[in-house]
Amino acid sequence: MAVGGVILDESALLEKSSGLLPAAHPVLRKLRHSNIPTGISYGPGLEPHKVRLLKEIAMQYSIHCFILDASFIDDAINEVILAWCDIGGSILYLASDNKKDIFPKLSKRGWLVAVMNVEGSSACESSSMVYINKLQELPLTICHLNKKATGNSVVTVGYIMKPSREEDFAKRGAFPMCPTQNGLIFMPLTFELPLSPQLQEVDVLLHKATDEIMSIDLNSSLHSSNKITYSRGMQELQRYMEHHQDLCVIDPLNSIYPVLDRLKIQQILLALEDLKTGSCCAIRGPHYLKVDDFNQTGLTQMLSEAKLALPSIVKPQVACGVADAHSMAIVFRVEDFKDLTVPLPAIIQEYVDHSSTLYKFYVLGEKVYHAVKNSTPNADTLMKISGSNEPKPLLFDSLKSLPTSKQNPNSVDDNSSKSTEHCLDLDLVTTAANFLMRKLELTIFGFDVVIQEGTGDHVIVDVNYLPSFKEVPNEVAIPAFWDAVKKKFEVKGRNK
């Protein structure tokens, strides 16, 4: 049977020194949002300070805490059943071998027993027993058992990303370890265990490789993976992908390289001018200029030739994956470029007056969604924020905060209270979304659109890979996310 509930005994969670095993928190975080009821158990003779710790952990992760007494096992099992009701599967009980006296009693009542700290076991199993070496193997084991129980029609999606991003997705229900409505199981991968055995269980690999970038060399084209230095774990994953071309990957590294380079994205957006649409508005990228040195001669002439007026926004050419990729500035005077601290090479980009309104678009396979967000004000308000007759550059980190009129409570955006002259043309942007999907060959990506005052031009000012799409309601976004993953797998299978 499939795993319908998981109980971790204190012997699998606590160190001999009474503290929690280092792997306990990451595993409990994964189980908390796995869509599988989870609990912690301990015996009646456990020291009070350990009991307090376990109850604190249970409260932290909103999971149950049970007393499993081998002498009164039926009472203990009834307590679990009462707490969880109909879980639709077997309960997996994880403990170390020193709890073996209780194993036969649990197995006899239909529980599946997992024994931890068995050297060389690597998740081997018998009819009612599973043996693992490390606590980190538990999520993999659950996914393996659930796929085995439900058959080959279920698709296992192995995913890897930084913990904070994983938490954001998982708490919305995106990564269940039991089958979704369209037959997906999400298995968390970890660099703390050998990757190859984990990936052998996987049908689809979902990754956020940009979380694992150590450095980027912009002296050469970003089309080559040799220009990006990944973490050791990601390098191992990269080698595996290179040697297993049949594996369905969302998305191949070659497809995400353009999104790392703001210059490349600007060049791709130029092709939007060739789109044939019935709209009276244009959709385009912003005017731009790449600079390697803010002190280079003829900068004023170069800005003019690039159709750039001031203020302009200055962004590092590297779009993500490194610490200062989001260090930006809005510059009002040409002479202020020379002391600018934005990392080079940089992209000087047209600043579009857009009434403080930003449209965030998310492409999930064949579905396109959008949300409306507040944004930076128009240029005249930005100059007031700068606070002098000779406005200084506004420096900011786009991940943390944007320059807004709230920075100066006395300043007012003259256009903020007016209705936008031009409405969002959804058909126009959807056409552009489909163009970008074909051009970039990405399954899940996002882009930001602003509508220029006066012209009504729809300007795409940013493109990113595997965004959180958190502005889209969960009941809409998560099924669309699952459908996009499943569709990619099916298309990959047909093309083999």
Side-chain angles (χ1 to χ4, degrees), residues 57-255:
I57 295 301
M59 185 175 296
Q60 178 181 346
Y61 290 99
S62 303
I63 59 179
H64 289 90
C65 200
F66 302 109
I67 300 176
L68 286 189
D69 188 344
S71 302
F72 301 96
I73 197 65
D74 287 333
D75 291 342
I77 290 176
N78 287 336
E79 183 184 354
V80 175
I81 293 173
L82 188 63
W84 290 349
C85 301
D86 182 15
I87 58 175
S90 297
I91 293 175
L92 177 66
Y93 172 72
L94 176 69
S96 67
D97 194 52
N98 61 19
K99 293 294 183 82
K100 59 186 176 184
D101 290 346
I102 203 174
F103 295 168
K105 298 179 180 181
L106 295 175
S107 297
K108 191 177 296 184
R109 287 158 177 81
W111 285 29
L112 185 60
V113 175
V115 188
M116 201 177 84
N117 298 328
V118 181
E119 291 293 336
S121 54
S122 188
C124 59
E125 60 184 280
S126 63
S127 58
S128 61
M129 302 279 283
V130 177
Y131 302 90
I132 65 175
N133 184 25
K134 297 180 178 180
L135 184 57
Q136 294 96 317
E137 297 172 22
L138 180 61
L140 284 63
T141 302
I142 294 170
C143 293
H144 168 79
L145 292 170
N146 281 343
K147 178 162 186 174
K148 182 179 178 182
T150 50
N152 292 330
S153 60
V154 171
V155 175
T156 299
V157 183
Y159 65 90
I160 189 82
M161 57 189 65
K162 65 182 180 182
S164 60
R165 194 182 310 280
E166 178 185 13
E167 179 84 359
D168 287 343
F169 275 96
K171 68 186 180 185
R172 300 176 67 193
F175 294 153
M177 294 183 193
C178 50
T180 64
Q181 60 200 29
N182 66 338
L184 302 179
I185 289 176
F186 285 83
M187 186 177 88
L189 304 174
T190 174
F191 292 140
E192 295 181 12
L193 298 172
L195 271 177
S196 184
Q198 299 177 63
L199 291 166
Q200 289 171 13
E201 299 275 343
V202 163
D203 302 303
V204 178
L205 172 61
L206 174 72
H207 69 85
K208 183 76 171 182
T210 53
D211 288 343
E212 299 296 325
I213 291 176
M214 308 302 289
S215 65
I216 297 179
D217 177 12
L218 280 179
N219 292 324
S220 300
S221 170
L222 276 177
H223 287 300
S224 170
S225 62
N226 296 329
K227 309 310 171 188
I228 301 173
T229 303
Y230 289 111
S231 66
R232 183 176 299 178
M234 190 63 207
Q235 289 179 38
E236 183 183 352
L237 185 59
Q238 185 179 11
R239 288 191 294 271
Y240 187 93
M241 288 188 281
E242 289 170 353
H243 289 93
H244 296 79
Q245 296 290 323
D246 288 344
L247 177 64
C248 178
V249 180
I250 300 177
D251 277 301
L253 295 182
N254 286 338
S255 296

Side-chain angles (χ1 to χ4, degrees), residues 157-404:
V157 183
Y159 65 90
I160 189 82
M161 57 189 65
K162 65 182 180 182
S164 60
R165 194 182 310 280
E166 178 185 13
E167 179 84 359
D168 287 343
F169 275 96
K171 68 186 180 185
R172 300 176 67 193
F175 294 153
M177 294 183 193
C178 50
T180 64
Q181 60 200 29
N182 66 338
L184 302 179
I185 289 176
F186 285 83
M187 186 177 88
L189 304 174
T190 174
F191 292 140
E192 295 181 12
L193 298 172
L195 271 177
S196 184
Q198 299 177 63
L199 291 166
Q200 289 171 13
E201 299 275 343
V202 163
D203 302 303
V204 178
L205 172 61
L206 174 72
H207 69 85
K208 183 76 171 182
T210 53
D211 288 343
E212 299 296 325
I213 291 176
M214 308 302 289
S215 65
I216 297 179
D217 177 12
L218 280 179
N219 292 324
S220 300
S221 170
L222 276 177
H223 287 300
S224 170
S225 62
N226 296 329
K227 309 310 171 188
I228 301 173
T229 303
Y230 289 111
S231 66
R232 183 176 299 178
M234 190 63 207
Q235 289 179 38
E236 183 183 352
L237 185 59
Q238 185 179 11
R239 288 191 294 271
Y240 187 93
M241 288 188 281
E242 289 170 353
H243 289 93
H244 296 79
Q245 296 290 323
D246 288 344
L247 177 64
C248 178
V249 180
I250 300 177
D251 277 301
L253 295 182
N254 286 338
S255 296
I256 71 169
Y257 293 146
V259 185
L260 304 181
D261 185 348
R262 288 192 173 97
L263 176 61
K264 181 62 179 174
I265 284 296
Q266 290 280 176
Q267 293 168 342
I268 288 173
L269 293 176
L270 288 174
L272 289 171
E273 298 176 5
D274 299 327
L275 282 184
K276 305 300 182 186
T277 70
S279 175
C280 60
C281 299
I283 188 159
R284 62 179 178 87
H287 304 309
Y288 70 95
L289 174 68
K290 181 200 170 184
V291 291
D292 297 303
D293 183 355
F294 291 127
N295 294 307
Q296 63 192 79
T297 57
L299 181 58
T300 302
Q301 180 65 24
M302 294 167 66
L303 290 170
S304 176
E305 291 173 355
K307 300 180 181 179
L308 286 169
L310 296 179
S312 291
I313 185 166
V314 186
K315 305 177 179 181
Q317 185 177 340
V318 177
C320 59
V322 295
D324 51 8
H326 301 278
S327 297
M328 303 181 185
I330 297 174
V331 178
F332 300 90
R333 304 182 307 165
V334 174
E335 54 266 36
D336 288 328
F337 279 105
K338 65 179 185 299
D339 296 319
L340 210 56
T341 57
V342 175
L344 291 165
I347 304 298
I348 302 176
Q349 192 180 88
E350 170 190 11
Y351 188 84
V352 178
D353 279 348
H354 57 288
S355 300
S356 303
T357 303
L358 177 76
Y359 299 91
K360 296 192 73 69
F361 278 81
Y362 302 105
V363 180
L364 303 173
E366 297 175 348
K367 303 286 182 64
V368 180
Y369 302 97
H370 80 279
V372 185
K373 297 195 70 175
N374 290 330
S375 180
T376 53
N378 289 353
D380 55 352
T381 301
L382 285 173
M383 293 183 71
K384 295 174 185 177
I385 292 173
S386 190
S388 70
N389 293 328
E390 297 181 348
K392 300 296 183 184
L394 294 173
L395 305 176
F396 62 98
D397 185 318
S398 62
L399 283 184
K400 298 177 181 177
S401 63
L402 296 175
T404 67

